[in-house]
């Protein structure tokens, strides 16, 4: 291939990266000087938001562009050093922040993100990843359009019960095994992310973190079930129908010989296959019980509020500390109690969760100033964006809440983005569930649905991508995946806007 896609081009990009990083480091004093315009309180980035500018979003943009471009332009460098590159971008936020506001404030911001956001996130994800990888759906599944559509439908249905992460971890490996003999299968995993990893989690607070935060703020448990069911059903039915058509066409293009039974396809897969004629069933029931314990731990945090303690100098609810300990204990129990043959049959490895842990640590930290500026509302750098949510009379515009919440949730963490717009809409759950129901529904749908627009919009997206690629199946690049979303999701969301908001 010519240009940057050739080996020579890739080598040039790799060679240029140190210079790029040096240039960005040179910008650090400018960031620090800009941030020092105004003295701030005790270190949280949101306290400094009015003094910040878009320059503080550069490290976050750097993380996103690294994830998007480096696997294409410098794949060898990225796959061996992505953790170091992510850490470098994190340093490009923390060092200027320390210069601008003091090392104590930088440490406060680091521990604030670590204790308040990252540790609860990664311990929950680790527990679901480990337990989900210990559930084996047995049976001679063959990836026909009917079977694949049924797997996606089941995953979408259970995502609101066990969370999008739990449903994704349980069903992605059966889908991989079923399609081990298929040549054209990338679209199956893309639509899996659309439906199981995102839209399926819109009916209860257990389904997706934004709705769980709403539950903690006073939104009743079954409010999403009744108020989001119509847009959920519309998106699910439309996307499943589109998927069935695409998969039927792809299946028809496969070689005319029928797909071989699973046992004959074993050489095409990196994991064990079911013997011919084996009936559908579940192995690893202990992990099903452990997933139930994870769900109980999530729910417990909304009903048991014993008070706060201090961890690394940061206040945190005791229930969250107990939940994190529970998730780690569940992870250990799953590792101890699951027979090795089940994880081998699932092709289970720790690589995907390690990749997510490293990259999302950088995402959470570099995202902090962006969210802080957004939280500043009409007094912050994004005041123009905030103004779009209301008409001239000051009345909320549900359609704008849907698209702004969704657009930001596509690239920022959808949970804090939900909270930003929840508070922007008034922040009172009783009012929002009543006369503001349409606005709250728009915020909820935007945060949950549009997390599917990019790999980083929701944690299961990136994890599914990593698991699929570990099994040797090609997935779209970052921008390639966004292209799929642009073609299939954005028109769906336009229809949702006209029909519901």
């Amino acid at each position: 291939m010519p240009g940057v896609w050739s080996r020579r081009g890739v080598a040039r990009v790799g060679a240029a990266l140190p210079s790029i990083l040096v240039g960005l480091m040179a910008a650090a004093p400018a960031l620090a000087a800009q941030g020092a315009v105004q003295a701030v309180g005790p270190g949280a980035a949101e306290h400094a938001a009015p003094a910040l500018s878009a320059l503080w979003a550069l490290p976050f943009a750097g993380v996103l562009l690294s994830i998007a471009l480096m696997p294409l332009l410098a794949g060898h460098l990225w796959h061996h050093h992505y953790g170091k590159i992510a850490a470098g971008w994190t340093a490009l936020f923390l060092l200027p922040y320390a210069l601008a506001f003091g090392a104590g404030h930088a440490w406060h911001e680091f521990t604030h993100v670590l204790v308040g956001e990252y540790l609860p996130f990664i311990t929950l994800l680790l527990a679901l990843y480990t337990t989900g990888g210990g559930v084996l759906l047995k049976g001679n599944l063959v990836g026909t359009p009917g079977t694949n559509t049924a797997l996606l439908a089941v995953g979408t249905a259970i995502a609101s019960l066990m969370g999008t992460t739990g449903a994704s971890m349980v069903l992605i490996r059966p889908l991989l095994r079923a399609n081990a003999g298929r040549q054209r299968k990338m679209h199956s995993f893309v639509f899996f992310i659309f439906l199981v990893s995102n839209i399926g989690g819109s009916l209860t607070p257990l389904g997706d973190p934004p709705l769980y935060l709403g539950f903690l703020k006073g939104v009743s448990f079954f409010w999403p079930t009744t108020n989001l069911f119509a847009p959920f059903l519309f998106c699910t039915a439309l996307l499943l129908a589109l998927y069935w058509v695409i998969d039927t066409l792809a299946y028809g293009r496969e070689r005319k010989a029928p797909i071989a039974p699973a046992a004959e396809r074993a050489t095409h897969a990196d994991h064990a296959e079911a013997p011919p004629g084996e009936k559908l069933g579940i192995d690893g029931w202990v992990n099903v019980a452990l997933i139930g314990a994870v769900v109980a731990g999530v729910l417990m945090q909304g009903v048991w509020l014993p008070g706060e303690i201090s961890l690394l100098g940061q206040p945190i609810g005791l229930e969250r500390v107990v939940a994190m300990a529970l998730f780690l204990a569940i992870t250990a129990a799953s590792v101890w109690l699951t027979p090795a043959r089940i994880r081998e049959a699932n092709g289970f490895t720790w690589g995907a969760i390690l990749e997510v842990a490293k990259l999302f640590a950088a995402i959470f930290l570099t995202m902090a100033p962006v969210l802080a500026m957004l939280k500043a509302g009409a007094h912050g750098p994004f005041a123009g964006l905030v103004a779009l949510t209301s008409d001239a009379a000051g009345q909320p515009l549900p359609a704008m809440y849907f698209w702004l919440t969704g657009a930001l949730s596509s690239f920022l963490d959808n949970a804090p983005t939900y909270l930003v717009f929840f508070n922007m809409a008034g922040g009172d759950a009783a009012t929002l569930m009543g006369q503001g129901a349409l606005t709250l529904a728009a915020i909820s749908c935007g945060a949950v649905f549009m997390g599917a627009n990019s790999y980083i919009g929701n944690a299961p997206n990136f994890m599914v991508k990593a698991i699929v690629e570990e099994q040797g199946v090609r997935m779209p690049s970052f921008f390639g995946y966004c292209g799929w979303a642009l073609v299939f999701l954005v028109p769906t969301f336009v229809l949702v806007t006209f029909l519901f908001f």
Side-chain angles (χ1 to χ4, degrees), residues 242 482-492:
L242 286 171
C482 291
W484 279 83
L486 188 63
V487 171
F488 293 103
L489 291 182
V490 171
T492 300

Side-chain angles (χ1 to χ4, degrees), residues 400-486:
M400 292 306 299
Y401 271 102
F402 175 63
W403 281 99
L404 287 177
T405 306
L408 292 171
S409 293
S410 300
F411 300 98
L412 301 176
D413 185 3
N414 59 1
T417 302
Y418 169 95
L419 272 187
V420 165
F421 286 96
F422 182 92
N423 291 325
M424 199 178 294
D428 180 67
T431 302
L432 286 172
M433 286 190 292
Q435 65 188 50
L438 195 60
T439 299
L440 181 57
I443 294 169
S444 303
C445 286
V448 177
F449 290 1
M450 295 201 203
N453 283 342
S454 82
Y455 280 134
I456 66 166
N458 203 12
N461 305 2
F462 203 91
M463 192 171 294
V464 167
K465 174 182 181 290
I467 291 172
V468 172
E469 289 179 335
E470 274 188 342
Q471 300 302 320
V473 178
R474 181 172 169 267
M475 285 291 283
S477 67
F478 184 91
F479 290 121
Y481 175 86
C482 291
W484 279 83
L486 188 63

Side-chain angles (χ1 to χ4, degrees), residues 162-252:
M162 64 169 55
T164 54
T165 301
S168 297
M169 294 306 99
V170 168
L171 285 172
I172 186 57
R173 292 179 177 89
L175 186 65
L176 276 163
R177 288 199 307 275
N179 288 273
R182 289 282 300 268
Q183 297 173 352
R184 297 173 174 88
K185 52 191 172 184
M186 178 194 292
H187 60 281
S188 294
F189 307 112
V190 171
F191 274 81
F192 184 95
I193 294 174
F194 290 171
L195 288 160
V196 182
S197 301
N198 290 276
I199 293 171
S202 57
L203 297 183
T204 76
L206 299 174
D208 216 32
L211 301 184
Y212 183 69
L213 289 182
F215 174 63
L216 296 181
K217 289 291 184 179
V219 178
S220 63
F221 188 90
F222 289 107
W223 189 91
T225 310
T226 55
N227 288 269
L228 306 186
F229 184 77
F232 158 81
L233 185 62
F234 173 79
C235 290
T236 299
L238 178 58
L239 290 171
L240 282 176
L242 286 171
Y243 170 76
W244 183 84
V245 171
I246 293 169
D247 199 43
T248 299
L249 293 174
Y251 189 76

